Amino acid sequence: MISRVKIIIRGVVQGVGFRPFIYKLALHSKINGFVYNSSHGVFIEAEAKLNVLNNFISRIEREKPPMAFISGMEFSYLDSVGYIKFEILESKNEVTTTTVISPDIAVCEDCLNEMNDPLNHRYKYPFINCTNCGPRFSIIESLPYDRPNTSMKIFKMCDKCKAEYENPLDRRFHAQPIACFDCGPQIELCDSHGNGAASKDEAIEQTVQKIKSGKIIAIKGLGGFQFLVDALNEDAVNLLRKRKHRDEKPFALMFPTIEYVKEICSVSEAEERLLLSPESPIVLLKRIANNRHIANSVAPDNPYLGVMLPYTPLHHLLLQTLNSPVIATSGNISEEPMCIDENEALETLGNIADYFLLHNRPIVRQVDDSIVRIVLDKEMILRRARGYAPFPVQISNSDGKTILAVGGHLKNSIALKVGENVFVSQYIGDLSTESSFKSFQKVISDFKNLYNIEPDRVVHDEHPEYISTKYAKSLECNTASVQHHYAHVASCRAENQINGSTLGVSWDGTGYGSDGTIWGGEFFISDDGSYSHCAQLKQFPLPGGEKAIKESRRSAIGVLYELYGDEIFNRDFEFYQATFKNSEFNIIQKMLEKNINSPITSSAGRLFDAVSSLLGISYISNYEGQSAMKLEFIVDTNERGHYPFSINENTILKIDWSEIIKALLDDKKKRVDISKIATRFHNSLAQIILSISEIVGKEKVLLSGGCFQNIYLTEQTAKLLTDKKHKVYLNQRVPPNDGGIALGQVAAYNVVRKDWMRNESSENTRILGE
């Protein structure tokens, strides 16, 4: 099948023979499409088979002209339009009132070579940079992007740096963060009280020795503080968990080299490209089986590791000297924003870190590490921050109004639409504390000031208790609300530039439904101007409400109560006895019988939790999604079976999963291997999506929401759909989780909601899943 990829390349890519290079490469690869220069970089659209396009992208980076430098390359896969040749189009001077601000970029190879050259005056300088690399978004205070408008304004350039800065032929011509040992930022190492400073090479050497001895180091990085710990030292990792109050949630790792990564993890060509890219995100990689090299407590019971390579000169200096992987995790207290100021860090992180590696270049705004994984041979961003924010997502159906979208409550990000550009902010996080709310407000103020914009309208979630919703309603301006789950679908429509009618599947853990109940297993028919809620998973009660998010055993009890009613209190289900005290269970029984604090939900995420608990895999989640992830991790990819289900047609289609639960419990009693049962459950959900797609008769199917971070569910569903000639679309440049909600709010704020009417509908029809 022919695919189309839209590529935007930024960096030194004009005046260096880049378009002729692309033209020749496209002809050689038998690719149709076009290339042109614009004020924002080089734009390419290319059509061919997916494997040909992936190879084309890899070859652009490997074989680019000698004088070219790629500081960023974003690409999205779209529907083909039928190009019949490849051509170079005239350059476009795209007039815009809004400047596109560059993200922070990983240090380039030229700067690394200079940093490692004993004869260079920047030898071992931890802040070496040039026009092609280094800090951008984390240091800019206002536009235009000139040194006096950045946090580098406090450092007066020495004569050597100034000469490079002013020379149009130099690689550092107008490199705003330019610096050296004589005139730029410096590092120092101190203890948790700010005492005992070491500087320059001594600070690096002492930091490495302290990491080797099991100490926890708080390092002031590019967009905020990080904790560094020896990833091979079980005791050190467990100490970090204890002090940070982070029981089991996986830590990200930084490796010294790509070769070292390959000793620990399986790395595909696409994953290697990501690791070595200017964006340099954390990439989720599959561990090599039975590899015990990394401390078990880094990512307990998890077959994946979050891996990145050094992306700043300071990281390179540390990892070159250490020559082994370290944990590199956000420097914050649990649920709080990442620290960006050294005085704040000493005060708030002093009970966690033993030592602090500081520098005196101010960080203007927090920018966390991005997280990406490869799904269906394409990039899927799970956390959008460093390297990606605040590059815009372009939408084609702009009405000209300036829109501020404030996102959701969890994994919050905001978005600002100016013209056809939607500037999606860096990851902010969960708005559950006062400090996180202040961070949210700061990012909004930041964006309005940077882009010199006051929005015509502010868009928010329908949930009346979300802090972001209350904030939006407190403003003296026009507001609009967008239903949470349709916002997921709208984000996928927008970034894939989809026109016409589609089926959108929006599955996640929780979101406020239009009927006031908790949704999370939803299907929508949508076109360019309207949408309808057409199908939903069977609802069940959640005893204890929000407690069920962390206690998957409560979701399991809710599912059983929905199936068997009061009869479950007389049955001897083993997981009851294993997980509850009698007093606790008595309270839950009363909640369900009297319908007290037991809201009903259609959440697919909670259904995953329930099955994980019913199978004895996980009763409690120590971090978001843990129970569901443990269920995913044990799937047997060779298992093809699935369980029966039914679809009841009335006002909307209702998917009844009762037979799925009964069948998997029966399999458990028969002692069928748990991995087979888990896989059959996943396969059943994929079959449900296929069945709804066939019933509503839509060729284009969009999969969005946090559940589609589950790689097995997503790829199995996509296979079933494509085998039946459906086209499948996923989020690519914004996350499928709530980090993509803000883009969806922008795209859907003026979309009309309609009641669903199925053609030739017959009430109460029962359709069995085979």
Side-chain angles (χ1 to χ4, degrees):
M1 189 174 76
I2 300 299
S3 297
R4 173 169 60 117
V5 66
K6 177 180 179 181
I7 308 171
I8 305 172
I9 302 177
R10 298 173 174 90
V12 182
V13 289
Q14 297 186 20
V16 292
F18 207 88
R19 287 176 299 165
F21 158 69
I22 293 295
Y23 179 78
K24 292 175 184 176
L25 186 59
L27 290 185
H28 182 268
S29 305
K30 297 182 180 179
I31 287 172
N32 295 328
F34 59 80
V35 58
Y36 68 85
N37 280 341
S38 85
S39 53
H40 297 317
V42 171
F43 279 56
I44 304 167
E45 288 204 11
E47 288 190 347
K49 290 184 177 180
L50 181 60
N51 64 320
V52 175
L53 294 178
N54 286 336
N55 186 54
F56 176 64
I57 291 168
S58 296
R59 290 185 67 185
I60 290 174
E61 293 183 304
R62 290 198 311 267
E63 302 173 20
K64 63 184 182 296
M67 297 302 293
F69 179 84
I70 296 174
S71 63
M73 182 162 74
E74 287 194 275
F75 51 91
S76 298
Y77 292 89
L78 310 170
D79 286 343
S80 63
V81 293
Y83 297 127
I84 59 173
K85 61 180 180 179
F86 197 91
E87 55 188 331
I88 300 177
L89 302 182
E90 290 186 12
S91 299
K92 297 183 181 181
N93 184 19
E94 297 168 328
V95 179
T96 176
T97 58
T98 307
T99 301
V100 175
I101 299 170
S102 172
D104 299 311
I105 303 164
V107 61
C108 70
E109 199 67 32
D110 287 335
C111 283
L112 282 179
N113 289 335
E114 291 175 348
M115 186 189 75
N116 290 318
D117 180 1
L119 301 180
N120 192 282
H121 77 286
R122 291 190 178 89
Y123 177 56
K124 291 188 177 181
Y125 183 54
F127 304 98
I128 190 170
N129 66 84
C130 68
T131 308
N132 301 326
C133 69
R136 300 288 191 275
F137 186 47
S138 62
I139 65 169
I140 188 169
E141 295 174 342
S142 62
L143 293 171
Y145 176 53
D146 293 320
R147 194 177 179 100
N149 296 329
T150 74
S151 62
M152 286 296 295
K153 65 188 176 186
I154 62 175
F155 300 99
K156 184 180 178 181
M157 279 183 269
C158 66
D159 290 342
K160 281 186 178 180
C161 287
K162 190 173 182 180
E164 292 172 310
Y165 181 85
E166 293 177 348
N167 182 0
L169 301 180
D170 195 280
R171 199 176 83 251
R172 293 187 171 90
F173 176 59
H174 281 197
Q176 306 306 333
I178 187 174
C180 69
F181 276 116
D182 294 332
C183 65
Q186 307 292 335
I187 60 170
E188 66 174 21
L189 177 69
C190 63
D191 65 19
S192 58
H193 302 289
N195 301 321
S199 61
K200 296 187 177 179
D201 288 358
E202 185 183 357
I204 297 293
E205 292 292 340
Q206 286 192 23
T207 299
V208 168
Q209 290 305 315
K210 292 183 188 306
I211 290 173
K212 286 181 176 179
S213 67
K215 300 300 183 183
I216 299 171
I217 309 297
I219 173 178
K220 186 180 179 184
L222 186 62
F225 274 79
Q226 295 172 311
F227 292 120
L228 300 189
V229 169
D230 183 359
L232 311 184
N233 187 328
E234 197 77 58
D235 291 338
V237 177
N238 282 321
L239 181 62
L240 178 60
R241 288 201 177 279
K242 180 180 178 181
R243 291 183 183 177
K244 206 170 188 284
H245 304 292
R246 181 165 164 163
D247 293 338
E248 296 182 16
K249 187 176 181 180
F251 285 126
L253 296 176
M254 182 177 285
F255 281 74
T257 63
I258 186 67
E259 290 75 22
Y260 204 142
V261 175
K262 290 178 179 179
E263 292 178 16
I264 308 298
C265 300
S266 173
V267 183
S268 69
E269 182 178 338
E271 289 163 342
E272 182 171 351
R273 192 209 74 79
L274 264 176
L275 288 166
L276 296 170
S277 70
E279 293 81 10
S280 193
I282 297 169
V283 182
L284 296 188
L285 301 176
K286 196 75 175 284
R287 297 193 206 205
I288 295 174
N290 299 319
N291 193 308
R292 300 289 183 183
H293 194 55
I294 300 296
N296 290 331
S297 52
V298 167
D301 302 319
N302 195 317
Y304 293 92
L305 291 175
V307 171
M308 59 182 153
L309 293 173
Y311 54 85
T312 71
L314 181 56
H315 286 128
H316 276 278
L317 288 170
L318 288 169
L319 272 291
Q320 283 173 9
T321 307
L322 186 63
N323 197 32
S324 65
V326 293
I327 285 173
T329 190
S330 300
N332 64 339
I333 296 173
S334 184
E335 308 300 328
E336 299 285 347
M338 184 169 54
C339 290
I340 62 173
D341 176 77
E342 50 267 37
N343 294 320
E344 174 198 9
L346 285 166
E347 182 179 342
T348 60
L349 306 180
N351 291 329
I352 302 175
D354 298 305
Y355 293 90
F356 288 75
L357 184 60
L358 306 174
H359 64 73
N360 58 339
R361 183 178 69 201
I363 299 171
V364 174
R365 60 186 57 79
Q366 65 182 67
V367 186
D368 216 324
D369 295 318
S370 295
I371 304 175
V372 185
R373 83 180 310 170
I374 299 297
V375 180
L376 294 170
D377 297 322
K378 300 175 185 176
E379 295 177 14
M380 176 186 282
I381 295 177
L382 304 181
R383 184 167 78 192
R384 190 175 191 269
R386 178 183 52 77
Y388 299 94
F391 271 158
V393 176
Q394 292 184 318
I395 59 175
S396 56
N397 58 343
S398 174
D399 59 5
K401 291 183 178 179
T402 302
I403 305 296
L404 169 66
V406 297
H409 183 73
L410 302 176
K411 297 181 172 66
N412 181 270
S413 64
I414 62 104
L416 184 67
K417 181 181 84 70
V418 185
E420 292 187 347
N421 284 330
V422 181
F423 298 93
V424 182
S425 79
Q426 71 274 34
Y427 168 85
I428 298 170
D430 300 350
L431 304 183
S432 54
T433 65
E434 182 179 350
S435 57
S436 62
F437 179 55
K438 287 180 180 178
S439 180
F440 162 80
Q441 291 175 294
K442 183 179 184 298
V443 172
I444 291 174
S445 175
D446 201 22
F447 266 51
K448 290 196 293 185
N449 291 336
L450 277 176
Y451 299 110
N452 194 25
I453 290 292
E454 278 297 326
D456 299 315
R457 189 179 296 270
V458 178
V459 189
H460 58 82
D461 194 274
E462 285 188 346
H463 199 305
E465 296 302 315
Y466 275 4
I467 290 174
S468 55
T469 299
K470 291 180 177 179
Y471 170 83
K473 290 185 174 181
S474 72
L475 303 175
E476 295 181 1
C477 63
N478 295 323
T479 62
S481 65
V482 174
Q483 200 281 320
H484 184 93
H485 297 93
Y486 184 66
H488 279 305
V489 172
S491 74
C492 193
R493 278 187 69 98
E495 69 160 312
N496 284 286
Q497 299 181 6
I498 296 174
N499 297 314
S501 186
T502 64
L503 172 68
V505 186
S506 184
W507 284 7
D508 64 6
T510 184
Y512 189 79
S514 299
D515 59 2
T517 64
I518 300 170
W519 286 6
E522 316 310 313
F523 297 78
F524 299 90
I525 300 293
S526 63
D527 55 30
D528 298 337
S530 65
Y531 77 93
S532 303
H533 185 211
C534 67
Q536 182 180 59
L537 293 177
K538 178 183 176 69
Q539 294 175 306
F540 61 94
L542 289 176
E546 286 191 6
K547 275 192 173 182
I549 296 174
K550 292 188 175 180
E551 296 184 33
S552 49
R553 58 189 181 176
R554 290 176 181 263
S555 292
I557 292 173
V559 162
L560 294 174
Y561 189 77
E562 181 63 27
L563 291 184
Y564 301 110
D566 292 341
E567 185 182 348
I568 69 164
F569 303 124
N570 301 319
R571 287 183 171 231
D572 185 22
F573 286 98
E574 62 186 38
F575 79 92
Y576 286 173
Q577 300 168 356
T579 64
F580 285 103
K581 297 176 182 177
N582 288 336
S583 58
E584 289 179 308
F585 190 69
N586 289 339
I587 292 171
I588 289 173
Q589 180 176 348
K590 289 176 182 177
M591 282 181 179
L592 290 168
E593 289 176 340
K594 297 181 179 182
N595 193 25
I596 299 172
N597 193 23
S598 298
I600 60 171
T601 184
S602 57
S603 167
R606 298 288 82 82
L607 192 60
F608 269 99
D609 287 351
V611 171
S612 185
S613 188
L614 287 169
L615 296 181
I617 297 165
S618 177
Y619 304 121
I620 303 289
S621 287
N622 288 305
Y623 57 89
E624 185 190 6
Q626 184 185 22
S627 292
M629 289 165 64
K630 284 187 172 182
L631 187 68
E632 175 194 357
F633 293 158
I634 65 168
V635 296
D636 177 359
T637 55
N638 295 316
E639 173 62 42
R640 292 290 175 263
H642 68 273
Y643 298 119
F645 56 88
S646 59
I647 301 173
N648 302 308
E649 186 175 352
N650 204 313
T651 308
I652 65 172
L653 299 171
K654 290 280 190 175
I655 301 108
D656 190 341
W657 37 255
S658 301
E659 295 304 316
I660 293 176
I661 301 300
K662 291 176 181 177
L664 67 83
L665 287 174
D666 189 50
D667 271 355
K668 188 184 177 190
K669 286 181 181 178
K670 294 176 181 176
R671 300 187 181 277
V672 174
D673 188 272
I674 292 295
S675 64
K676 290 186 179 295
I677 302 175
T679 312
R680 290 170 186 173
F681 172 71
H682 279 79
N683 292 346
S684 302
L685 297 183
Q687 289 285 343
I688 285 171
I689 295 173
L690 174 62
S691 294
I692 297 296
S693 304
E694 296 283 276
I695 291 168
V696 301
K698 299 299 176 184
E699 179 193 20
K700 298 177 181 179
V701 182
L702 290 66
L703 308 178
S704 191
C707 288
F708 294 106
Q709 295 172 123
N710 180 321
I711 193 167
Y712 180 82
L713 173 68
T714 302
E715 294 191 340
Q716 182 67 13
T717 301
K719 182 180 185 305
L720 291 178
L721 289 167
T722 52
D723 285 349
K724 293 291 186 179
K725 309 304 180 185
H726 294 278
K727 293 182 178 179
V728 179
Y729 303 87
L730 307 175
N731 289 101
Q732 300 175 70
R733 310 316 295 172
V734 298
N737 57 48
D738 284 7
I741 285 286
L743 174 62
Q745 290 171 342
V746 167
Y749 82 93
N750 61 353
V751 174
V752 178
R753 179 162 54 203
K754 297 180 178 179
D755 291 335
W756 182 63
M757 298 288 290
R758 186 186 169 215
N759 294 334
E760 302 177 2
S761 64
S762 55
E763 293 195 359
N764 297 317
T765 302
R766 190 165 177 81
I767 307 161
L768 297 178
E770 298 178 354

